[in-house]
Each structure stands twice: as C-alpha cells, then as structure tokens.
C-alpha cells in the first residue's frame, strides 16, 4: 500500500468504513511482506548453495552477516514458491449429493487451503458445477479434480506430453494413467488400499500462465497428494521449480477412514520444457 493509499484510507469520514479499509490494507500489506520475505529467503538460500558466504551476501544486500543469517530462517518457507506468488484460488467441484466421478475427497479443499495458508498465502475456495466450462485463464489457480468434471479440465490434462490420463466412466474398472516414456500404465488397487494421484503444473489455455492440478483417481488419492505436498514440497520445488511438470503420487490409505497412511512419488518428476506439447485448448498448430 502506497502513501497515497494510506492517505485515502485516512480521509474516509465514516469510521466503520475507515476501519474496514484499514483492515483490508493491513491484510494486503501483510501478504506483500510474506511474498517478499519468501523471495528473499529463496535468493539467500540459492546464493549460499552457490558458495556465497553469509558475509558476502550481507555485503551485497547492505546488511550485516548476522542479519542475513537471521532473515534466512524467518518468514514463509522458500519452497512455497512452488505455488508461485500472490493470492491463490482452490477450484473444486460442487458436489450437492452422492458421489461425482473425478471429485476429490470432501476434506481435500480445506486441508489444501490450510497448507497453503501455513505457507503464507492468501487463499480462497471457489466451487464450480461439474460438467460446465471452467475459466482457467486466471492467476493463482490450484484445481482439485479430474478430467471428468469439465471439458476445460479434460483438454488441459490431455495436453500433458508425459502422462496420459484415462477419462473415467461409471463402472469402468480399467481406469489408469499411462507413463508414455516408460510405456507403463499405473492403476490403483492391490493387496492393500492404494490409490494414485496426478499432480501437475500445466499451461493455461491462453498461454499466459499455468494451473496446478491435483487429481486423485479416487477420493483418497487427492488427500495423498496433499500429504505429499505437505511433506515433500522442498523436493518438488527443487526438481520442478516453477516449470511445467507432471508426476504420479502413490497413496496407501486406511480402508475405514480413507485417510492417507503413506504418500510418495510413483514416477519421476517430468519437466515439460523440452517436450513438444499438444496445443492448448482453443489454439492450433
């Protein structure tokens, strides 16, 4: 918030409206501080990994060695940059009754939002009606759900150059995800309760950004992917950074509750920057 913005808030005559505006301004300022602190920690870590001493980093930044060491451990974790910067929107299907194919576990949106807030993000949960088009040309989108839920999501996921997702139909037991390079199809199931989740950052249809996708083959898979994000985010950020990528997550879960017991990477983290991608929805070769 600039000095002019502060002056405008101060000039509001109605005290309640002035309070609301000041509160909104503090929230926006705190979000900006979180983002800049995360970026600062990330740069300090990168320079230190490259061999810079804290004294050298401090000299370059105009801060003391002690201060650089202090700020390198304070504030939102650098790996939060995996989700980008700015406010985030968790996009989830609205399930009014019964089970909808492709929908995540009902607890997934809140659990993911809590994780993102712990990472220092401002988060909003937004619902969409299954079967309807979804606006994906927005910043900060994290989508919970599969290609069965919207034609836009289906086109987006089908553009993945490495992992091919089978679109499920009711009663279809052959659903799976094909690793094109390994020529292998992964399917949930086995002697223990086991599910698979698809995790990816894919290009927006307008080509001006990206969308993070979390798609469990069944509801427990979505919780497994969120568990992996909570426990292995530094690994994901190190290998994928902010580039387009896709990976499969294996999730072992409790049969009675659906809660994940273990979640781990099932495939390599495939970065897409050197791949020939299918055209985004609405685009042509």
């Amino acid at each position: 918030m600039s000095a002019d913005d502060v002056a405008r808030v101060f000039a509001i005559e109605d005290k309640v409206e002035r309070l609301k505006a000041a509160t909104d301004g503090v929230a926006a300022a705190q979000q900006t501080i979180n983002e800049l602190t995360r970026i600062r920690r990330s740069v300090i870590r990168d320079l230190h990994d490259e061999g810079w001493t804290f004294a050298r980093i401090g000299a370059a930044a105009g801060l003391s060695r002690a201060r650089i060491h202090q700020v390198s451990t304070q504030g939102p974790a650098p790996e939060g940059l995996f989700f980008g910067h700015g406010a985030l929107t968790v996009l989830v299907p609205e399930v009014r009754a019964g089970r909808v194919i492709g929908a995540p576990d009902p607890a997934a949106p809140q659990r993911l939002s809590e994780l993102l807030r712990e990472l220092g993000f401002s988060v909003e949960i937004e619902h969409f009606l299954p079967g309807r088009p979804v606006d994906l040309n927005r910043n900060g989108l994290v989508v919970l759900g599969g290609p069965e839920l919207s034609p836009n999501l289906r086109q987006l996921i089908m553009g993945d150059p490495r992992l091919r997702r089978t679109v499920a139909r009711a009663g279809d037991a052959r659903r799976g995800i094909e690793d094109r390079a390994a020529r292998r199809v992964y399917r949930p199931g086995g002697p223990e309760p086991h599910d698979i989740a698809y995790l990816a950052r894919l290009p927006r249809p307008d080509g001006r950004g990206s969308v993070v996708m979390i798609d469990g083959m069944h509801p427990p898979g979505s919780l497994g992917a969120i568990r992996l994000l909570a426990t292995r985010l530094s690994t994901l950020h190190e290998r994928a950074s902010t580039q387009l990528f896709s990976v499969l997550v294996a999730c072992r879960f409790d049969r009675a509750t659906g809660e994940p017991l273990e979640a781990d990477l099932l495939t390599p983290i495939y970065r897409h920057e050197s791949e020939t991608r299918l055209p985004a929805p609405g685009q042509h070769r």
Side-chain angles (χ1 to χ4, degrees):
M1 177 175 284
S2 67
D4 289 341
D5 292 329
V6 174
R8 280 193 289 270
V9 172
F10 186 76
I12 297 174
E13 294 186 5
D14 185 280
K15 293 181 180 179
V16 173
E17 293 302 318
R18 193 190 314 158
L19 173 62
K20 292 179 180 178
T23 301
D24 291 342
V26 169
Q30 185 59 56
Q31 180 64 33
T32 299
I33 291 172
N34 286 342
E35 299 291 345
L36 294 176
T37 301
R38 190 195 326 275
I39 293 171
R40 180 172 63 179
R41 285 190 66 185
S42 178
V43 173
I44 292 173
R45 185 175 66 179
D46 289 346
L47 290 174
H48 195 253
D49 289 345
E50 292 172 12
W52 287 47
T53 64
F54 285 126
R56 183 184 176 190
I57 298 171
L63 298 172
S64 69
R65 176 194 177 282
R67 180 58 177 158
I68 283 293
H69 187 272
Q70 182 184 37
V71 301
S72 70
T73 60
Q74 295 178 341
E79 53 265 29
L81 288 172
F82 174 86
F83 293 100
H85 57 84
L88 299 178
T89 299
V90 175
L91 200 58
V92 61
E94 181 177 340
V95 180
R96 296 175 177 175
R99 179 175 178 271
V100 175
I101 295 177
D105 187 281
Q110 190 60 41
R111 197 165 299 182
L112 177 59
S113 297
E114 290 172 359
L115 170 62
L116 296 174
R117 291 190 180 102
E118 289 174 3
L119 291 169
F121 289 98
S122 172
V123 185
E124 177 184 356
I125 298 176
E126 179 181 317
H127 293 85
F128 66 93
L129 292 176
R132 303 285 182 84
V134 179
D135 180 13
L136 300 175
N137 293 324
R138 294 179 284 163
N139 294 330
L141 281 185
V142 183
V143 180
L144 275 169
E148 300 86 359
L149 296 168
S150 168
N152 304 70
L153 295 180
R154 179 174 182 175
Q155 288 180 304
L156 191 68
I157 292 175
M158 292 306 172
D160 187 323
R162 300 305 299 263
L163 301 172
R164 187 194 302 271
R165 172 73 155 83
T166 301
V167 179
R169 293 177 175 82
D172 184 357
R174 297 173 298 170
R175 287 179 292 164
I177 302 178
E178 178 189 2
D179 183 333
R180 299 183 184 185
R183 296 183 179 179
R184 178 176 179 180
V185 177
Y186 294 92
R187 293 187 174 90
E192 296 185 7
H194 175 266
D195 199 13
I196 296 171
Y198 171 81
L199 174 64
R201 182 183 296 112
L202 302 173
R204 278 172 24 179
D206 63 2
R208 298 180 179 178
S210 59
V211 179
V212 174
M213 297 289 308
I214 300 173
D215 171 26
M217 296 289 288
H218 300 95
S222 58
L223 296 181
I226 295 169
R227 180 187 178 102
L228 185 86
L229 288 167
T231 58
R232 300 284 300 278
L233 185 59
S234 58
T235 298
L236 289 165
H237 179 55
E238 178 184 351
R239 299 183 188 176
S241 185
T242 57
Q243 304 299 311
L244 304 179
F245 81 95
S246 56
V247 67
L248 296 186
V249 178
C251 169
R252 186 171 67 86
F253 62 92
D254 183 279
R255 190 184 303 277
T257 65
E259 284 293 320
L261 301 174
E262 294 178 356
D264 207 347
L265 298 174
L266 183 60
T267 66
I269 296 173
Y270 293 121
R271 289 175 60 153
H272 298 175
E273 69 270 20
S274 61
E275 300 288 340
T276 301
R277 289 189 294 274
L278 300 178
Q283 296 181 343
H284 303 278
R285 293 188 185 277

